[in-house]
Amino acid sequence: MMSINAQDNRPSRVEPPNWWVGMENNQLQLLVYGADIGKTNPEIEAEEVSIEAVHKVENSNYLFIDLNISKSAKAGEFSIKFNENGKTVAKYEYELREKTTQNRGFSAADLIYLVMPDRFANGNPGNDDVDAMLEKADRSNPNGRHGGDLQGIMNNLDYIKDLGMTAIWVNPFFENNMKDYSYHGYAITDFYKTDPRLGSNELYKNLVETSHEKNMKVVMDVVVNHCGINHWWMKDLPTDDWINNHKKFQTNYRGSVIADPHASKYDRNRFSTGWFVETMPDLNQNNPFLANYLIQNMLWWIEFSGIDGMRMDTQPYAEIDFVTRLAKRITEEYPDFTILGETWLQKVALTAFFQQNSPVAKDYNSHIPTNTDFPLYYAIKTGLNQEDGWTTGLAQIYYVLARDFLYNDAHKNVIFLDNHDLDRFYSSVGEDINKFKMGIGILLTMRGIPMMYYGDEILMTGLEHTGHGNIRKDFPGGWDSDKRNAFTEQGRTDKENEGFNFVRKLAKWRMQSNAVAEGELTHFVPENNTYVYFRHTDNEAVMVILNNHPEESRTIDGARFKEVLDRYGNGKNVMTGETVSDKSTFTLKAKSVKIIEFKK
């Protein structure tokens, strides 16, 4: 809240817009923005809040104020006076709220559903076009805004829950006031504001609360590497080094250079400081004020919204020491909070480098406990489409898993068959329902935290090279004008219902399987087009058998698996409910997966 004298309109922004008492770290740095606000001297009227330092930077329209909030401070408001030439020219009422307490975090017991809000469902057609926003809705443009929003997600939470999902990851919903191609959410123009075409901050908070009421968690998608070219500060940067490479020098996208001991300084610098694209300036987290701003922004959203975890976009692109500092600061405040780093790298060792306590990173520790498992993604996609050989077909999966020793904890990896940047899984396996079921079977039984992309359950299609709009199509039935509603059984085709029912049954079963949520992984070398692995605890085991031959069934000798099978009693086929008492042989049809649950 701001009160100003009649001759002055400063400040126009104070960020974070509020804070909390009861935080573990009692330091707070305010960014204050307004015409020549840097020429004023701030003063605080509060007994338990004090100014530690005032930083005046090269742009006089900014002030950075370091506050110390006493551990005994109470929730409420206090005044910040801005004085100039001995006179108070502006006064700002800053609010402190009481910090909440709640359990947070997600784990391998969860199944995450990734939703792109603009493409999922339009719950409020009234916000499709907003006067202050540059881009208007146009469903005829695959790369334009289509009108989906947070209310659309809320309207379909029961569908997501009934599908067997326990967590929702929503692509960025922050303001993206860009001329075009802004629907994806990664060109942020205000880090503290929900895009009004998607809803409001309060609506997002309501989405989190409603999800929690339905026993589902929420993962926020955050961006610290870059912002949108139309971000409000781009027209009036606080400092010249607030962003990197003002000439829009583009990154080389080679995340391997961070871990590569032979990488040139040139390549590393281009990767870390180059712009992601020409409309997304690269933020310089080596600037201490920007670093504080981004860290506090993450903390603000965690506390304001009540989310359970964060997915950090493009983790390797941000300055690696900043990432460590960010992760440690979040963990300091919220020890059970889960941070997922996007590490889009093809090799296990390169991915493992960016995980917390990595055995391959030498002196570097990211403190990011959870990472995206792209090596396993590539292995599953390629393996199901290849003819089996010594290193091909199902052996692709085997060899990736055989390198799990490079991770601190591979069970914390997030595993997936596709996402908003990749070919739709059903398309990547040639729209073959049998390969689709094999992939889903692997995803929902493999070590790690599984994630599914919206619409995969109804066999949505799209190839990345044809344009991102084709891998981010609207969910059928999310708009009132849609000819069919795939949120309902009646609105789906027979083939779509086959995919949906397979996913739903396996996901529902997975919710009660301790072996999949907590168990160890034991696998056996692929032989004769087959691959067998177990997830097991002391009391139960899940046996997964894959036959990758395109035409021939396979019968395998159960004696090979006695070291695991002899510890348990009879089994049950998860998909058919059939009792499995004979462990001597197991037979599979061509291109199929069989999942058997054994208990003591």
Side-chain angles (χ1 to χ4, degrees):
M1 184 185 303
M2 176 173 58
S3 60
I4 48 182
N5 90 12
Q7 286 76 43
D8 205 304
N9 63 353
R10 298 173 289 178
S12 59
R13 285 182 180 269
V14 175
E15 293 178 343
N18 69 275
W19 204 243
W20 290 268
V21 297
M23 301 289 271
E24 292 297 320
N25 188 316
N26 60 352
Q27 303 298 307
L28 176 65
Q29 185 173 88
L30 299 179
L31 177 154
V32 184
Y33 179 69
D36 283 333
I37 194 70
K39 295 181 179 179
T40 69
N41 296 300
E43 175 188 354
I44 283 182
E45 298 177 343
E47 291 184 2
E48 296 183 317
V49 180
S50 60
I51 295 178
E52 296 287 294
V54 176
H55 306 278
K56 299 187 177 185
V57 294
E58 58 199 71
N59 186 337
S60 64
N61 293 334
Y62 288 85
L63 268 181
F64 293 89
I65 307 174
D66 293 348
L67 300 182
N68 183 289
I69 302 170
S70 168
K71 292 291 186 180
S72 59
K74 305 297 186 211
E77 292 187 348
F78 63 88
S79 299
I80 307 175
K81 290 182 178 180
F82 296 89
N83 302 321
E84 189 173 10
N85 298 323
K87 178 181 178 182
T88 298
V89 295
K91 189 176 181 180
Y92 190 93
E93 299 300 320
Y94 197 82
E95 183 183 9
L96 294 176
R97 302 176 185 175
E98 194 72 38
K99 183 184 179 185
T100 59
T101 57
Q102 69 177 62
N103 294 325
R104 303 175 191 266
F106 59 90
S107 70
D110 289 303
L111 174 51
I112 304 170
Y113 193 69
L114 168 58
V115 178
M116 180 160 281
D118 182 67
R119 302 302 172 88
F120 189 60
N122 189 353
N124 179 14
N127 66 13
D128 289 0
D129 294 329
V130 175
D131 289 343
M133 298 291 104
L134 296 174
E135 187 177 10
K136 311 305 178 184
D138 180 7
R139 286 189 78 192
S140 67
N141 179 2
N143 293 316
R145 284 192 172 265
H146 290 185
D149 49 32
L150 297 179
Q151 188 62 50
I153 300 174
M154 288 192 64
N155 293 350
N156 292 287
L157 285 177
D158 287 338
Y159 167 85
I160 298 171
K161 180 177 176 62
D162 179 66
L163 184 59
M165 305 296 138
T166 67
I168 307 167
W169 158 17
V170 180
N171 287 127
F173 57 88
F174 310 105
E175 181 191 271
N176 273 232
N177 195 9
M178 305 287 285
K179 182 179 178 181
D180 53 25
Y181 201 69
S182 67
Y183 71 89
H184 51 69
Y186 290 95
I188 297 170
T189 56
D190 192 326
F191 283 96
Y192 281 99
K193 182 181 178 183
T194 297
D195 195 295
R197 292 160 296 190
L198 297 179
S200 65
N201 288 6
E202 288 299 327
L203 182 59
Y204 181 76
K205 184 177 182 180
N206 191 10
L207 170 64
V208 176
E209 292 172 349
T210 305
S211 298
H212 287 169
E213 290 170 4
K214 297 179 182 293
N215 294 316
M216 290 191 293
K217 302 171 182 178
V218 179
V219 181
M220 179 183 284
D221 202 336
V222 300
V223 185
V224 297
N225 177 68
H226 51 265
C227 65
I229 193 71
N230 287 345
H231 191 286
W232 64 265
W233 60 40
M234 289 303 297
K235 296 179 181 178
D236 194 24
L237 290 171
T239 63
D240 187 60
D241 66 348
W242 194 258
I243 64 169
N244 290 312
N245 293 311
H246 290 257
K247 294 181 179 180
K248 303 183 182 181
F249 191 61
Q250 192 161 315
T251 181
N252 55 22
Y253 306 103
R254 297 286 187 173
S256 57
V257 299
I258 300 300
D260 180 3
H262 312 296
S264 66
K265 292 180 181 178
Y266 173 86
D267 286 340
R268 282 181 180 160
N269 182 65
R270 179 166 181 176
F271 171 73
S272 295
T273 67
W275 287 30
F276 206 71
V277 294
E278 65 178 10
T279 57
M280 295 180 183
D282 191 75
L283 297 173
N284 177 20
Q285 299 92 16
N286 288 325
N287 180 298
F289 302 112
L290 176 60
N292 285 337
Y293 181 94
L294 294 171
I295 291 170
Q296 292 176 167
N297 178 253
M298 302 298 103
L299 294 168
W300 188 90
W301 277 108
I302 294 170
E303 187 59 37
F304 170 79
S305 66
I307 52 174
D308 303 278
M310 282 181 167
R311 177 261 190 188
M312 182 189 298
D313 183 61
T314 59
Q315 177 192 335
Y317 290 77
E319 295 296 332
I320 61 174
D321 291 336
F322 163 78
V323 170
T324 296
R325 181 183 164 200
L326 168 63
K328 290 175 70 174
R329 181 70 180 88
I330 289 175
T331 304
E332 176 187 21
E333 291 294 344
Y334 308 100
D336 52 355
F337 190 82
T338 304
I339 308 171
L340 161 64
E342 184 205 19
T343 45
W344 192 340
L345 297 156
Q346 289 75 22
K347 302 298 181 182
V348 173
L350 296 173
T351 304
F353 178 91
F354 292 96
Q355 191 182 52
Q356 182 180 35
N357 298 324
S358 168
V360 300
K362 294 186 178 180
D363 297 330
Y364 177 64
N365 188 348
S366 71
H367 286 271
I368 301 289
T370 305
N371 292 91
T372 50
D373 199 331
F374 275 89
L376 184 59
Y377 153 75
Y378 287 114
I380 296 172
K381 174 182 173 180
T382 306
L384 294 180
N385 287 316
Q386 274 184 342
E387 185 176 331
D388 290 290
W390 191 259
T391 60
T392 58
L394 296 177
Q396 294 261 8
I397 303 169
Y398 170 81
Y399 280 116
V400 164
L401 296 171
R403 296 180 178 93
D404 274 358
F405 65 90
L406 294 170
Y407 292 109
N408 172 52
D409 187 352
H411 289 259
K412 291 184 177 179
N413 287 357
V414 166
I415 60 176
F416 50 94
L417 302 174
D418 60 3
N419 64 25
H420 58 288
D421 290 323
L422 304 169
D423 293 342
R424 283 279 185 177
F425 179 63
Y426 191 51
S427 291
S428 72
V429 292
E431 300 186 21
D432 183 326
I433 191 67
N434 293 322
K435 291 181 183 179
F436 172 83
K437 290 179 180 178
M438 291 176 73
I440 295 295
I442 296 169
L443 178 70
L444 299 192
T445 59
M446 182 53 66
R447 61 96 177 113
I449 307 168
M451 181 278 291
M452 286 192 65
Y453 184 34
Y454 81 94
D456 280 351
E457 69 276 12
I458 59 166
L459 311 179
M460 286 181 68
T461 60
L463 295 170
E464 189 274 337
H465 75 270
T466 64
H468 279 183
N470 289 319
I471 57 175
R472 303 167 181 174
K473 295 173 185 173
D474 299 342
F475 193 102
W479 281 252
D480 291 340
S481 60
D482 287 353
K483 294 179 179 179
R484 66 188 185 100
N485 183 4
F487 287 110
T488 67
E489 181 179 1
Q490 297 77 15
R492 297 188 287 264
T493 66
D494 289 344
K495 185 68 75 174
E496 287 172 344
N497 272 318
E498 184 179 357
F500 176 90
N501 291 333
F502 186 87
V503 170
R504 182 178 183 272
K505 185 162 189 175
L506 200 51
K508 290 281 191 179
W509 161 80
R510 190 186 190 281
M511 294 173 71
Q512 51 78 41
S513 174
N514 289 329
V516 171
E518 304 172 3
E520 294 300 314
L521 168 67
T522 298
H523 66 168
F524 293 78
V525 174
E527 288 183 356
N528 195 25
N529 308 112
T530 65
Y531 177 43
V532 176
Y533 62 87
F534 290 84
R535 302 294 309 285
H536 51 92
T537 63
D538 289 342
N539 297 315
E540 62 183 78
V542 173
M543 181 182 193
V544 182
I545 315 171
L546 297 154
N547 176 11
N548 202 35
H549 197 281
E551 298 173 353
E552 299 175 3
S553 63
R554 288 286 184 265
T555 297
I556 55 179
D557 186 353
R560 186 177 173 215
F561 316 113
K562 286 175 64 67
E563 65 186 81
V564 180
L565 288 177
D566 282 357
R567 293 156 51 188
Y568 307 92
N570 289 341
K572 182 179 72 172
N573 186 311
V574 170
M575 297 308 297
T576 68
E578 176 187 6
T579 298
V580 179
S581 55
D582 182 3
K583 304 177 189 176
S584 61
T585 59
F586 299 90
T587 301
L588 271 81
K589 296 183 296 185
K591 282 292 179 186
S592 68
V593 58
K594 183 175 287 188
I595 303 169
I596 305 172
E597 182 178 52
F598 295 93
K599 295 191 177 181
K600 284 191 174 178

